[in-house]
Structures are given as structure tokens and as C-alpha cells.
Amino acid sequence: MALTSYIAESTTSPEFLKYAILSATCIKTNMLDSNTNLAMDCAIDAVKGTLKEGNILSCMLTGICIEGLSVLASVTGDNTWRSLSLSMAESAMHLKQWHGPDGVLSVGSDSVSYKNDNLKSHKGEIRGQAMGRDILLKIPFLRAGLLSRGLLVAYQRNPSNKRFRDLVRSYINVQYNALRDLSSCGSFYDVNWAGPRTRPYTHGQLDALDTIIAAIGVNE
């Protein structure tokens, strides 16, 4: 949805715009938790062409959705998408299960939020069922930095919404300060932004990059 929205914006192609709207409608209908408006993981049945609702509120997918919806709102001028992107962004920034008591995002390290108790967390791992098979997911691959990226795009696409922009700026600054002071391992970054540092991860570099770029963007 984010990709097709960007292409629709850059090419003014009605075909890509149609697919962006269809993708956004599918996400809104099938992938959002009704209580928080945050994106959930889901499984796609390629044979039946159906979506199976997941159990985890996904920080990574939420960030991607905020980004795509913000761009789509700009392209279409439709406030339905703008309202949804802002609602998702505010829910994500305020969700206690994703943050420590200091407000630092913790889903990239050893915590996760569940819609129900079908999945259990064990020392930074998630065990559960996907497509009828047992799965084991390492938490660090949740790519928490994509939330920073999505929030930056929402910030840039809502220039007149001062309250929202002030909130995003404050939130991103908290994440950046934690990343710089508590997570850096020399020139590398741990995925645990709140510390203590353990070791650098390749995807920790990507998360750090998204957050550093976001911090620059909201403080220009």
C-alpha cells in the first residue's frame, strides 16, 4: 500500500491509485485491531485468497501502514485515510505494552503485545501457530524503527496539525536520545534502545538509521 501510494503520487497514475486504495481498504477491513486501530500480523491463504487474523499487534506493520496511509491521504485528499493514519500514530505512541516506563519503545528487544493469549513470550522469543505449524520468532526482527519512519512521514504530511506534530517530535526525540545514550555500541546499535547494551545487530543498524533520520526530520 505504501509503495503503490508513492507510485500513484509520483506518476499520477489512476491505476496505481486504484490499487493503493484497494490495499488500504483491505488493511482497514482485515488487519486492524478494533480496539486500538493498530495493525496485526496476519496469515494469507494463497489458495483461498483469504486473510487469517493474527494475534500480535505489530509495531513494524503499524509503522508501514501509517506511512502508506499518510501518503494516500495526500494523494487523494480523502480525510478518511488521514484520520486513520493519525489515529494509528497516536495509538502507537501511547500503547503502554510497547513502551517502558520512560517512554522508550521496547518492542525491538524482549517484549511484545498480544491481542489474546494464543502466543506466549519466552526470553525474547515468540512461540505460536502459523498456517497450522509451530513457529518460533526472534523478537529483534520486529523492526521497531519502521514506526519512527511512519511517524516522520505523518509529521511531514500534516504541516498544519501543530498538536500532532509536537507530540511526534517529543516522541521521536525520546527514542533518539535512548538510542544514542543507551543503545549505541561504538559505531553500532543494539536493538534494545532502553539498554543495557548487549551486542550490535545488523537490523539494529537499520532501526537506528530510521530513527536518526526521523529525529533530523522533526527537528529541522
Side-chain angles (χ1 to χ4, degrees), residues 114-158:
Y114 305 101
K115 189 181 177 209
N116 55 44
D117 293 326
N118 290 345
L119 299 179
K120 301 296 182 183
S121 177
H122 301 279
K123 296 181 180 179
E125 300 173 345
I126 307 173
R127 298 180 183 275
Q129 289 277 325
M131 303 299 284
R133 296 188 299 173
D134 290 330
I135 59 171
L136 174 62
L137 301 176
K138 296 290 185 179
I139 295 294
F141 289 97
L142 291 178
R143 284 301 321 277
L146 288 174
L147 179 59
S148 298
R149 173 174 166 163
L151 291 174
L152 173 61
V153 174
Y155 174 94
Q156 293 170 330
R157 301 273 174 160
N158 291 277

Side-chain angles (χ1 to χ4, degrees), residues 46-126:
V47 176
K48 297 180 180 179
T50 57
L51 287 172
K52 181 180 179 180
E53 183 180 288
N55 298 297
I56 303 173
L57 297 175
S58 172
C59 176
M60 177 182 72
L61 293 180
T62 295
I64 294 170
C65 288
I66 292 170
E67 179 179 6
L69 289 168
S70 298
V71 176
L72 184 59
S74 296
V75 175
T76 62
D78 189 338
N79 281 329
T80 298
W81 306 124
R82 188 176 308 281
S83 296
L84 182 56
S85 68
L86 295 177
S87 173
M88 291 181 72
E90 296 213 20
S91 290
M93 288 185 283
H94 287 106
L95 189 68
K96 291 182 179 180
Q97 297 97 311
W98 283 359
H99 301 86
D102 53 4
V104 177
L105 192 63
S106 61
V107 293
S109 53
D110 61 356
S111 62
V112 68
S113 298
Y114 305 101
K115 189 181 177 209
N116 55 44
D117 293 326
N118 290 345
L119 299 179
K120 301 296 182 183
S121 177
H122 301 279
K123 296 181 180 179
E125 300 173 345
I126 307 173

